[in-house]
């Protein structure tokens, strides 16, 4: 079957092979972005439709595609809709860092319609569970609250109000039983100045509080109300509106349960009644305060048993295909995405005057104070990759706009834009002689460029899936690449001929590093492991275990005795390569760690995260020395000059920043 993407089509499913819809006559698209095969519509709204789809590039993995139609709007309205769409995508990407919120996989425009691609959550929503299993007990309601309250805390801390918490928007994930909050389509970003301002009257009647339905005002307490209404529906199987007495302004859900022979503890009754107060200032103001009352010691449950108070514990999500940036995501990680339909910006740079005294090249990097000395703009979408030439004169960057840009590191001038890849550029590396730039892309290709005259030299096509990582050996003789096809490929750089292929069947490859003496290759990926291979023979010599989620970046120390790794589990780990043991773990990032570097003097570890920060750590002790926080979105890639004086970062805010260490 082939699905019509006209949101107004009454019968969108068509037999395979048709060019035009048999119902509405619209042109049929076999694949969106040459990747996503739409299976069937699963929802409809004012914005368009929601579809179940299969990702051809990910072994036909299921995903959800939300379609936003702007065809019928005027020019100004279309531009505003597109602007809001991109803001929505950024918000969903950041929220998708939480393991109980679906990951944003891609967003794009096609045929004047906008599309968001999100992770498909296999499981039943709470309404379906209610229909199959009957009314929820008190203990089951407590489990719902304990599972969802930390998710609300997470989104509210990011100034997002969901605005549509209902039993159908909470899914119990089949793989681990965790509850997942879905459908952020009407979520609202709030600030201190906008929370109390009138907005769109939106939400589901019976679950949305009065302030939301009357004038569109929303607060964290608004979501708390909706969660309370969801809970009483799950216990009573009666719509919340029917359990409210407007004459005296009282909820009668507990009386209803008593008549049915069920009872609820005073503790839970008081909690739900406070969540459901009409006046915003009488409700709980945060998910934390609900949590505290939910786990108070000494409450008397209806069963007569006192369960011990439960404290929130971090949830480790199941290994899954991350977004690009993976990073992490967020991305944080990296989103499996194609280019964003935004007009390219012009090259604008901002220079910060540095302090007068610069440290000499041989100074201890742990003593440096890092400052942003230039910001490069020109990418029209998230910047995903960056490299710096051995002589520090040239910077290369790549991103989701499918472009590679070559910059002067001194002036910030855009020297060249390299077009050739047809999908996102994920990784860049420059040969030791500074002559060749290698790029890896979602289009499954590696391209070799002459860096001096900005011409394409060769295209390597042995990979069958996205190429996520490329690296060149210290002697400049060999190129190593890895990708979603679970292979590591070794090539002769001078002629592009393949040497051998290494197979990492357990997981897709996201990171590659080469030992400074060219004796080992380190790889990391979706299996949460780091594998060490002999460069000369391709033999697997060790596997390092310790991360709890995907490994996004690896880097050898200058002496080759240690390895640093960055992970979706929000940590950086430092490994002893002789013993395979963890030396220490660097913790502190609040998002996926997307990139890691070790300074050339071996004194510091530098990490970049989807939490928008770059952190500088003392390698010997793990002490956090400096936090760089000028990026406004996820930091996806890092590169450092061979003298350790310059640091370059690429971000989802579409910028490249150049940092310099000063004394």
């Amino acid at each position: 079957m082939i699905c019509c993407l006209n949101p107004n089509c009454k019968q969108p499913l068509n037999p395979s092979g048709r060019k035009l819809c048999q119902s509405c006559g619209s042109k049929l698209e076999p694949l969106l972005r040459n990747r996503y095969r739409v299976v069937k519509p699963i929802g409809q709204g004012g914005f368009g439709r929601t579809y179940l789809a299969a990702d051809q590039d990910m072994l036909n993995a299921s995903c959800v595609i939300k379609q936003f139609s702007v065809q019928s709007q005027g020019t100004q309205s279309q531009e505003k809709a597109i602007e809001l769409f991109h803001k929505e995508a950024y918000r969903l990407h950041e929220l998708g860092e939480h393991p109980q919120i679906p990951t944003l996989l891609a967003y794009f425009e096609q045929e004047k319609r906008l599309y968001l691609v999100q992770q498909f959550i296999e499981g039943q929503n709470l309404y379906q569970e209610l229909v199959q299993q009957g009314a929820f007990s008190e203990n089951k309601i407590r489990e719902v609250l304990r599972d969802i309250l930390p998710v609300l805390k997470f989104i509210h801390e990011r100034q997002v109000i969901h605005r549509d918490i209902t039993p159908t928007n909470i899914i119990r994930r089949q793989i681990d039983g965790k509850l997942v909050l879905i459908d952020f389509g009407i979520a609202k970003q709030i600030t201190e100045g906008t929370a109390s301002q009138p907005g769109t009257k939106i939400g589901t009647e019976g679950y949305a509080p009065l302030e939301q339905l009357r004038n569109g005002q929303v607060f964290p307490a608004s979501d708390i109300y909706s969660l309370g209404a969801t809970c009483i529906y799950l216990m009573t199987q009666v719509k919340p509106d029917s359990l409210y007495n407007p004459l005296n302004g009282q909820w009668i859900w507990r009386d209803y349960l008593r008549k049915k022979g069920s009872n609820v503890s005073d503790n839970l009754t008081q909690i739900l009644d406070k969540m459901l107060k009409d006046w915003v200032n009488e409700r709980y103001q945060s998910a934390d305060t609900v949590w505290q009352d939910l786990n108070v010691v000494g409450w008397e449950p209806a069963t007569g048993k006192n369960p011990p108070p439960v404290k929130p514990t971090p949830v480790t999500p199941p290994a899954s295909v991350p977004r690009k940036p993976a990073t992490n995501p967020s991305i944080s990680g990296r989103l499996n995405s194609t280019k964003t339909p935004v007009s390219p910006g012009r090259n604008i740079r901002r220079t910060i005057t540095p302090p007068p005294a610069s440290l000499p090249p041989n100074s201890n990097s742990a003593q440096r104070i890092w400052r942003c000395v230039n910001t490069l703009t020109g990418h029209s979408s998230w910047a995903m990759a960056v490299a710096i030439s051995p002589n520090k004169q040239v910077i290369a960057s790549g991103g989701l706009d499918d472009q590679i840009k070559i910059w002067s590191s001194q002036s910030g001038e855009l020297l060249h834009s390299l077009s050739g890849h047809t999908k996102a550029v994920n990784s860049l590396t420059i040969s030791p002689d500074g002559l060749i730039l290698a790029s890896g892309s979602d289009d499954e290709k590696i391209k070799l460029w002459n860096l001096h005259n900005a011409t394409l030299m060769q295209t390597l096509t042995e990979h069958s899936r996205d190429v996520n990582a490329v690296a060149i050996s210290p002697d400049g003789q060999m190129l190593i690449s890895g990708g979603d096809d679970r292979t590591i490929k070794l090539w002769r750089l001078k002629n592009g001929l393949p040497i051998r292929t290494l197979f990492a069947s357990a997981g897709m490859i996201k990171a590659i590093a080469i030992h400074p003496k060219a004796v080992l290759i380190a790889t990391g990926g979706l299996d949460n492991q780091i594998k060490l291979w002999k460069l000369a023979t391709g033999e697997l010599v060790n596997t390092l275990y310790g991360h709890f989620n995907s490994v996004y970046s690896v880097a050898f120390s200058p002496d080759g005795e240690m390895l640093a790794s960055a992970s979706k589990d929000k940590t950086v780990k430092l490994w002893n390569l002789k013993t395979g043991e963890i030396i220490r773990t660097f913790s502190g990032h609040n998002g996926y760690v997307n990139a890691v570097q070790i300074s050339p003097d071996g004194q510091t570890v530098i990490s970049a995260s989807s939490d928008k920060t770059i952190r500088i750590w003392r390698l010997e002790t793990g002490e956090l020395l400096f936090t760089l926080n000028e990026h406004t979105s996820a930091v996806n890639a890092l590169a450092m000059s061979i003298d350790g004086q310059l640091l370059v970062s690429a971000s989802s805010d579409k910028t490249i920043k150049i940092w310099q260490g000063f004394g």
Side-chain angles (χ1 to χ4, degrees):
M1 301 292 285
I2 184 169
C3 188
C4 177
L5 296 176
N6 176 4
N8 300 315
C9 182
K10 302 299 183 184
Q11 296 180 344
L13 295 181
N14 291 267
S16 298
R18 287 191 64 91
K19 302 297 183 183
L20 299 176
C21 177
Q22 60 187 2
S23 175
C24 69
S26 298
K27 179 183 175 183
L28 296 175
E29 299 285 346
L31 294 176
L32 278 172
R33 296 300 276 181
N34 296 316
R35 175 169 185 169
Y36 303 103
R37 179 175 57 83
V38 177
V39 177
K40 63 180 180 180
I42 55 176
Q44 179 86 35
F47 58 86
R49 274 184 171 150
T50 302
Y51 301 91
L52 177 67
D55 186 346
Q56 304 284 85
D57 284 1
M58 293 293 173
L59 302 177
N60 285 315
S62 295
C63 57
V64 173
I65 295 182
K66 293 188 176 182
Q67 175 197 67
F68 298 78
S69 180
V70 296
Q71 289 177 306
S72 60
Q73 304 179 33
T75 302
Q76 288 188 337
S77 297
Q78 285 186 21
E79 291 176 355
K80 183 63 176 176
I82 291 172
E83 178 187 350
L84 293 174
F85 168 76
H86 289 303
K87 288 181 179 179
E88 177 88 355
Y90 280 114
R91 182 166 72 241
L92 291 175
H93 165 59
E94 292 189 352
L95 294 181
E97 295 173 7
H98 196 285
Q100 289 167 263
I101 296 175
T103 298
L104 177 68
L105 301 175
Y107 70 105
F108 53 85
E109 179 185 13
Q110 185 167 322
E111 299 296 327
K112 296 184 179 180
R113 295 190 183 105
L114 306 171
Y115 294 92
L116 292 173
V117 185
Q118 284 185 286
Q119 175 189 15
F120 175 72
I121 305 299
E122 186 75 36
Q124 288 187 323
N125 63 44
L126 293 188
Y127 173 76
Q128 294 168 324
E129 191 172 303
L130 178 72
V131 171
Q132 285 195 3
Q133 301 179 17
F136 283 35
S137 66
E138 173 170 351
N139 283 340
K140 197 168 181 180
I141 289 296
R142 287 179 174 274
E143 290 172 3
V144 169
L145 289 170
R146 287 183 179 126
D147 230 1
I148 292 298
L149 286 170
V151 184
L152 287 189
K153 177 184 178 183
F154 176 85
I155 68 171
H156 292 164
E157 285 175 346
R158 285 150 183 80
Q159 289 75 53
V160 173
I161 310 299
H162 187 279
R163 297 203 295 180
D164 199 23
I165 296 174
T166 67
T168 58
N169 283 337
I170 301 174
I171 293 179
R172 190 176 301 279
R173 188 163 52 203
Q174 183 175 313
I175 192 172
D176 60 2
K178 281 291 181 183
L179 297 181
V180 178
L181 185 60
I182 66 167
D183 201 351
F184 283 78
I186 64 170
K188 183 177 182 180
Q189 188 91 33
I190 61 167
T191 64
E192 205 170 306
T194 62
S196 59
Q197 293 178 1
T200 305
K201 301 173 186 178
I202 200 166
T204 301
E205 192 172 345
Y207 297 92
L210 291 176
E211 71 274 6
Q212 186 173 325
L213 294 175
R214 282 176 177 168
N215 60 11
Q217 290 178 296
V218 287
F219 310 86
S222 306
D223 278 348
I224 289 171
Y225 178 101
S226 299
L227 180 58
T230 295
C231 288
I232 65 170
Y233 176 73
L234 294 173
M235 285 192 293
T236 63
Q237 296 180 284
V238 175
K239 291 184 177 180
D241 279 355
S242 302
L243 298 171
Y244 182 80
N245 186 342
L247 294 177
N248 57 17
Q250 297 292 321
W251 286 93
I252 57 173
W253 62 270
R254 194 181 191 187
D255 294 336
Y256 177 88
L257 285 176
R258 282 174 177 160
K259 290 177 182 177
K260 294 288 185 179
S262 298
N263 199 6
V264 179
S265 68
D266 290 341
N267 172 262
L268 185 61
T269 299
Q270 291 165 7
I271 289 171
L272 293 177
D273 282 348
K274 188 171 180 179
M275 293 173 75
L276 291 163
K277 291 289 186 183
D278 286 341
W279 292 84
V280 175
N281 60 5
E282 291 182 352
R283 279 180 229 145
Y284 290 101
Q285 299 301 299
S286 70
D288 266 345
T289 53
V290 185
W291 183 276
Q292 291 166 9
D293 283 358
L294 184 69
N295 294 292
V296 67
V297 177
W299 64 273
E300 292 292 335
T303 59
K305 298 179 181 178
N306 283 349
V310 179
K311 295 181 180 180
T313 55
V315 180
T316 301
S320 60
V321 178
R323 61 193 186 283
K324 290 187 176 181
T327 155
N328 118 165
S330 301
I331 92 191
S332 71
R334 295 183 174 177
L335 270 175
N336 289 321
S337 172
T338 48
K339 67 180 179 181
T340 314
V342 183
S343 299
R346 59 189 178 89
N347 174 35
I348 303 171
R349 64 186 179 93
R350 177 173 58 82
T351 302
I352 299 175
T353 303
S358 262
L359 289 171
N362 61 353
S363 63
N364 187 331
S365 65
Q367 298 173 359
R368 292 179 187 153
I369 296 175
W370 290 89
R371 301 282 175 83
C372 179
V373 295
N374 218 333
T375 298
L376 313 179
T377 63
H379 280 288
S380 61
S381 188
W382 299 347
M384 300 302 303
V386 70
I388 185 168
S389 63
N391 63 7
K392 293 198 305 186
Q393 299 303 303
V394 172
I395 293 168
S397 62
L400 298 192
D401 56 7
D402 310 348
Q403 296 287 307
I404 298 169
K405 296 189 179 293
I406 310 298
W407 317 81
S408 165
S409 62
Q410 294 183 336
S411 68
E413 178 187 1
L414 178 60
L415 304 175
H416 304 284
S417 287
L418 308 182
S419 299
H421 284 296
T422 58
K423 290 186 179 179
V425 177
N426 299 322
S427 183
L428 296 168
T429 186
I430 297 175
S431 61
D433 59 10
L435 297 177
I436 298 175
L437 171 70
S439 57
S441 167
D442 276 358
D443 64 12
E444 306 172 5
K445 296 177 176 63
I446 300 162
K447 290 186 181 291
L448 303 180
W449 310 82
N450 183 313
L451 199 52
H452 282 189
N453 58 23
T455 58
L456 179 63
M457 301 166 57
Q458 198 168 1
T459 299
L460 312 181
T461 59
E462 293 279 322
H463 281 285
S464 60
R465 301 282 294 282
D466 303 3
V467 180
N468 299 315
V470 289
I472 295 176
S473 61
D475 62 6
Q477 298 299 306
M478 196 177 298
L479 172 73
I480 296 93
S481 60
D484 283 0
D485 59 7
R486 294 176 169 84
T487 68
I488 303 106
K489 294 185 180 293
L490 283 65
W491 317 76
R492 296 199 187 281
L493 188 62
K494 65 179 181 180
N495 54 22
L497 293 177
I499 301 171
R500 67 174 59 89
T501 297
L502 313 180
F503 294 94
S505 57
M508 299 175 182
I509 304 300
K510 295 294 177 184
I512 289 176
I514 304 175
H515 191 277
K517 295 181 181 178
V519 295
L520 292 174
I521 305 169
T523 62
L526 299 195
D527 57 4
N528 310 348
Q529 303 167 12
I530 299 154
K531 295 185 183 297
L532 300 175
W533 315 76
K534 282 188 179 180
L535 182 61
T537 64
E539 176 190 355
L540 178 63
V541 294
N542 204 355
T543 300
L544 309 181
Y545 301 91
H547 281 295
F548 297 105
N549 216 313
S550 305
V551 177
Y552 288 154
S553 181
V554 287
F556 284 98
S557 61
D559 60 11
E561 295 182 0
M562 292 176 286
L563 182 81
S565 57
S567 171
K568 188 178 178 181
D569 66 13
K570 304 180 183 180
T571 70
V572 172
K573 293 187 183 295
L574 187 67
W575 306 81
N576 182 320
L577 291 179
K578 290 182 179 178
T579 65
E581 296 177 348
I582 298 173
I583 299 172
R584 67 182 48 85
T585 298
F586 303 83
S587 300
H589 280 295
N590 297 317
Y592 307 156
V593 188
N594 298 322
V596 68
Q597 293 272 315
I598 297 179
S599 60
D601 64 3
Q603 298 297 311
T604 55
V605 174
I606 306 98
S607 57
S609 170
S610 59
D611 65 9
K612 309 176 188 179
T613 70
I614 300 165
R615 295 180 185 242
I616 317 281
W617 315 80
R618 191 186 299 275
L619 181 144
E620 187 177 356
T621 64
E623 173 193 0
L624 178 61
L625 300 172
F626 219 82
T627 299
L628 312 179
N629 53 17
E630 290 199 26
H631 278 296
T632 59
S633 192
V635 187
N636 302 317
L638 293 172
M640 182 169 263
S641 61
I642 58 175
D643 63 3
Q645 294 271 305
L646 287 184
L647 178 68
V648 187
S649 55
S651 168
S652 295
D653 62 15
K654 308 178 189 177
T655 71
I656 308 299
K657 288 187 181 289
I658 303 175
W659 311 81
Q660 190 167 352
F662 297 102

